[in-house]
Amino acid sequence: MKFNRFWTATAAAGLLISGLMFTGPATAEETTIKIGNIIPLSGPSASVGQQGKNAREMAVEEINAGGGIKSLGGAKLEMLYADSESKPEKGVSEAERMINTEKVNVLTGCWNSAVTYPTTAVAERYGVPFIVPVSVSDKITEQGFKNVFRIAAKDSWWTRDQFAFLKDMQAEFNTPVKKLAFVYENGDWGKGMASQWKKLAEKDGYEVVMDEPYPSTATDLSPVVQKIRRSRADVLLLVSNAADAILLTNTLAEYKVRLKAIVATGGGHADPFFIKAVGKNAQYLFDIVEWEADINKPGAKETNAKYKAKYGYNLTGEAVDAYLSMYVIKDALERAASFDKDAIRKALAETNLTSGAGMIVGYDAVEFDESGQNSHASPVIVQINDMGNGLERITVWPKSARRAGYTPVFPKP
Amino acid sequence: MIYLIEDTINGILMGSIYGLTALGLTIIFGVLKVVNFAHGTLLMVGMYVAYWTVVLSGLHPYLSLVVVVPVMYVFGYYLQDIVIKPIFKAEKDVREPSTVIIVTTGVWYVLDNLTLMIFGPQYRSLPENPLQGKMIEFGELFISVPKLWGAITAVATAFGVYYFFQKTRTGRAIRACSLDRDAASLSGINQYKIYNMAFGLGSAVTGIAAVTLVPFYNTFPSVGVLFDIKGFIIVVLGGLGSIPGAIIGGIIVGIIESVGPQFMTATWTEAIVYGLFLLVLFVKPSGLFGVKYDW
């Protein structure tokens, strides 16, 4: 027993020494660009953290195999990972360590808005560029920071795009929409979305005929559905968790509620088991999401196939944003032609990325505004329909990303 | 006006089904004098048994009762015999052994997570069946067929259980045991066996409730939690241990939930149900149909 412990200690010391010896000369020569990634790799959000990690690795492999950063003499990207465990304090301390000990050139992360928000402050203090692939909370880019750049759309843009979508559909199909009904789960998320809907409805001149929260734990939603039926709304906007999304969809079908369209807000309606549980009752439903695998963008299908072959499942919104962020970093480094963090920051601020392997998102460019928000970012809207292979989610909006050969069904027959 | 009728009918139907889900709880409480925290979990187990019976056999959902009732009876019987009985024996001087609450909570966690491990988090709904999504329509008035079946089953089950307790020898033995377990033992009743049977009966009734839910509700590992709290409220409202109390308590909750949202938001009706629960506890702690004596 004692003997074993002695050998373990010796081995550990040996590893530590050899580790120190390796890191020493490497930093002096600066042949790699160090990218620190703070993401949840354990804890409640570990599965999305892992999706992002996989996508980052795939992008970096591609970049390094393609000759690295040419303006820096073919310098390679080196990835460092820290587990945030979805804890804000962990994110902050890991950012300190990444910057001070590991001397990273760029930071990315942290998926959970609650972690990203305090962690970006650390990066700002040290002047290290921080790329936020996904973290939707509006306030992250509203702190007046110079070093924070967000790729994904922010919270308030989801509702904005739902209304933009409604407007576009009315024009495209020449079907006016006048009355809206809002039905949402009775939590922070649902109430937050609904308060934004209210403002947007007023601005666009819609009549709100119903504005009703319901408890997500409800075991019978027919009273709520009755109310929707009697409101004679044209379009129903929903925010639901999984069990209630299923119950609502089935009950709406049973009571034959006539609507021109139902527009959901991800969450329960995007649950992988949703379509299976409700079957044909889900047909023609619209849902807003970050990204969908069928998106009509060059290279999207191939990239998704490659990712699926490597990791066994489709790319997700989280993964695509992480993947794209590596190409945004590569693009900035090429233009900066420097290891200096201020030069990298300046290049990032001047980003106008419109092509390349990373551009498989629903929008057409990455360009950062004053606050560091990608001003082109937008989620996509899908419609659930059957094109001969059973019910599936089909990208319909923005029109440039619509699946080839598909015409959305609006109004609902 | 027609809407009010429609909502009231929906409330009565849904409420009867709520009452049925609470009936098993009230039977177990009435006899064992313990609050069974694993009640929602029993309902979940019943739903999985019903779901798989229908999926594998392709039968009408209500024919799955032939399988669900015996399976749930045996399940409840041995759950009591193996897990809960030792606590009763250890605390036999206590009238209402509180450790049992902790044990049933343990059963709840273990079974819910076991189900999650075995079946995954999927929301399962029955494949096409004669009840699914069927509606009786009178112009604007809609009545859900699966709920109507559920309500009829609820009332029939309540009568059946009541008859069993009043008229059969075993039923009388169970009642005797619930009145005074020591006196019953002295008269030659094996009280632990009676407890097993009561727990089995409560589980079987919960299984019937599960069968009524499966045609229009989804089966998933945490489904019990949604009906659990409602079950407790109904049982307290109707009177702990009272069989008609469970059904009528259920109908009261159902009507509040169904008619309420037409005058306020659905979130408020939930608050009203909880408020009523507190009010009953203040004014008549024994519930609407509770009696001073047990049974």
Side-chain angles (χ1 to χ4, degrees), chain B residues 210-281:
Chain B
V211 171
T212 65
L213 284 174
V214 163
F216 65 93
Y217 205 77
N218 291 286
T219 306
F220 52 98
S222 56
V223 65
V225 181
L226 301 180
F227 289 91
D228 227 351
I229 303 163
K230 209 159 265 169
F232 288 125
I233 292 176
I234 289 165
V235 164
V236 169
L237 207 60
L240 279 162
S242 162
I243 292 165
I247 300 292
I248 290 167
I251 291 176
I252 292 172
V253 170
I255 291 178
I256 294 175
E257 274 192 359
S258 189
V259 179
Q262 311 316 321
F263 303 99
M264 60 196 101
T265 67
T267 314
W268 270 106
T269 59
E270 206 181 46
I272 290 180
V273 170
Y274 284 109
L276 188 69
F277 172 69
L278 289 177
L279 189 74
V280 169
L281 279 180

Side-chain angles (χ1 to χ4, degrees), chain A residues 178-363:
Chain A
K178 289 193 183 69
K179 296 179 192 167
L180 301 183
F182 305 155
V183 173
Y184 45 95
E185 63 95 27
N186 182 29
D188 272 355
W189 178 41
K191 284 180 181 165
M193 288 288 174
S195 70
Q196 291 170 20
W197 285 340
K198 227 169 291 171
K199 282 182 217 146
L200 291 163
E202 205 170 305
K203 209 181 94 209
D204 289 0
Y206 294 111
E207 182 192 346
V208 178
V209 290
M210 187 179 170
D211 178 5
E212 177 134 331
Y214 65 86
S216 222
T217 52
T219 41
D220 178 27
L221 285 170
S222 33
V224 174
V225 168
Q226 292 282 30
K227 239 178 156 171
I228 298 168
R229 179 158 70 118
R230 290 163 204 168
S231 74
R232 312 261 174 227
D234 295 322
V235 170
L236 171 64
L237 287 143
L238 293 174
V239 181
S240 305
N241 293 309
D244 40 322
I246 295 169
L247 198 55
L248 264 175
T249 309
N250 283 335
T251 316
L252 281 166
E254 282 161 19
Y255 281 96
K256 300 186 177 148
V257 181
R258 294 192 62 80
L259 292 158
K260 285 179 180 158
I262 301 171
V263 183
T265 315
H269 290 91
D271 189 290
F273 308 118
F274 173 75
I275 293 182
K276 244 192 130 190
V278 298
K280 65 179 184 338
N281 291 347
Q283 200 169 15
Y284 310 127
L285 181 110
F286 292 103
D287 192 12
I288 186 164
V289 281
E290 276 166 4
W291 192 81
E292 199 62 47
D294 73 330
I295 202 159
N296 186 19
K297 289 289 242 173
K301 200 182 270 173
E302 294 75 17
T303 310
N304 186 48
K306 187 176 168 193
Y307 186 86
K308 195 171 180 181
K310 243 175 137 93
Y311 306 109
Y313 50 89
N314 279 334
L315 276 166
T316 57
E318 278 77 16
V320 169
D321 286 326
Y323 183 76
L324 171 58
S325 59
M326 293 300 128
Y327 279 94
V328 170
I329 292 171
K330 174 188 182 273
D331 171 66
L333 287 169
E334 288 285 9
R335 286 182 288 107
S338 163
F339 288 95
D340 178 53
K341 55 195 181 189
D342 290 323
I344 299 173
R345 194 211 77 82
K346 188 163 169 289
L348 274 169
E350 289 163 359
T351 299
N352 185 5
L353 186 69
T354 52
S355 61
M359 286 307 294
I360 52 170
V361 284
Y363 45 93

